[in-house]
Amino acid sequence: MKQDDTWNDETAAAYDTEDAGMFSSDVLGPTIDRLADLARGGRVLEFAIGTGRVAVPLRARGVAVTGIEMSPAMVAQLRRKADEATIPVILGDMATTRAPGDFTLVYLVYNTISNLLTQAAQVACFRNAARHLKSGGHFVIELGVPELRKLPPGQDAVVFRSDPDYIGVDTYDVLNQHLTSHHFRFGAGREARLLRSHHRYIWPAELDLMAELAGFRLESRHADWVKSPFTAESPSHVSVYRLTERIVSG
């Protein structure tokens, strides 16, 4: 699969936000706690490891972490925090690339499975997770719920965040189940920067079917990492799948 130009040197250099947003201790603390518990003392694999937002503190917890990442620029930022011996990373895409060895846990956080833009590629991601897991191992996905109910009749855009220095807008292609996130950041005067990322959104029931095709069954689904109940109003979910049928090759 071709690397998305979104994840280039400029994006990688500005990705980490120093204990703010998704890097805040309020977000990362529960994430690390849950993943460390699911690892059960074994080796874990992060698909799309990025700059190590989750992997670095998880490794500091004593969990052996390996990563797969498509963007060399993101890996270069990770290497400022941890060397190859501490957190090994294999360059490649999360749907097909194989890391050596077996793992008790594979995880994929912060909506990243939606970066795969076809249903077939998303199913392949599940199958790749299954290839890496020991029998009974877990695959964890953190993913947003499509916000189609917020679309006004006849419109295809939703503002998902509005701050003095930032506006985020999602535009939907409901026919093809695609969305594009537009991130506008404002500087002094008339200065503004735009970053776009492209996604294929997935409904929870569709995600469960993908899991079943790869030999998984849903073990739990919560609204967040602290296990709040998942409801019809939840904007996102953390879904934990257990491998019930080992995929050896393919």
Side-chain angles (χ1 to χ4, degrees):
M1 296 183 182
K2 184 178 179 182
Q3 180 187 334
D4 189 334
D5 291 338
T6 300
W7 310 108
N8 56 21
D9 290 337
E10 181 181 5
T11 302
Y15 191 79
D16 293 5
T17 55
E18 298 292 334
D19 199 33
M22 62 180 176
F23 284 83
S24 72
S25 56
D26 289 345
V27 173
L28 273 177
T31 305
I32 301 307
D33 288 344
R34 186 84 189 279
L35 292 174
D37 182 59
L38 287 167
R40 296 173 294 157
R43 299 172 65 234
V44 308
L45 175 65
E46 180 173 0
F47 282 172
I49 195 171
T51 66
R53 178 182 73 95
V54 173
V56 170
L58 188 59
R59 184 67 186 90
R61 183 70 68 87
V63 179
V65 184
T66 297
I68 291 175
E69 173 57 52
M70 182 175 283
S71 167
M74 299 292 273
V75 176
Q77 292 299 315
L78 168 59
R79 286 290 164 252
R80 296 172 182 266
K81 311 169 194 175
D83 60 23
E84 178 70 17
T86 304
I87 302 179
V89 177
I90 296 88
L91 281 174
D93 72 87
M94 56 189 164
T96 62
T97 301
R98 186 73 165 91
D102 291 330
F103 301 84
T104 60
L105 172 68
V106 178
Y107 65 92
L108 182 52
V109 297
Y110 208 65
N111 303 320
T112 309
I113 193 172
S114 70
N115 290 343
L116 298 170
L117 299 180
T118 67
Q119 186 183 70
Q122 291 167 348
V123 171
C125 182
F126 269 92
R127 287 177 170 152
N128 198 30
R131 279 190 288 268
H132 285 90
L133 284 169
K134 296 180 178 180
S135 180
H138 290 98
F139 184 31
V140 179
I141 293 182
E142 178 187 22
L143 186 61
V145 178
E147 296 188 303
L148 297 187
R149 290 189 299 175
K150 291 184 178 181
L151 281 177
Q155 297 188 34
D156 62 1
V158 172
V159 176
F160 62 84
R161 183 174 148 196
S162 179
D163 295 332
D165 60 348
Y166 172 84
I167 292 177
V169 179
D170 282 338
T171 54
Y172 285 83
D173 173 0
V174 295
L175 181 63
N176 295 298
Q177 210 163 306
H178 284 173
L179 72 84
T180 300
S181 293
H182 310 261
H183 308 270
F184 300 90
R185 300 189 184 278
F186 305 101
R190 298 182 177 181
E191 178 187 351
R193 296 174 61 248
L194 170 63
L195 171 69
R196 290 190 179 97
S197 58
H198 304 286
H199 307 268
R200 180 186 184 273
Y201 59 84
I202 314 169
W203 298 101
E206 181 187 11
L207 199 71
D208 294 347
L209 182 56
M210 293 179 182
E212 185 176 342
L213 291 172
F216 290 98
R217 65 171 176 82
L218 180 67
E219 186 169 274
S220 67
R221 172 169 290 135
H222 294 95
D224 50 36
W225 292 98
V226 297
K227 299 185 179 181
S228 301
F230 179 72
T231 72
E233 305 304 319
S234 299
S236 61
H237 58 92
V238 175
S239 296
V240 178
Y241 296 96
R242 181 183 288 273
L243 184 66
T244 58
E245 181 180 341
R246 179 72 189 274
I247 293 179
V248 178
S249 62

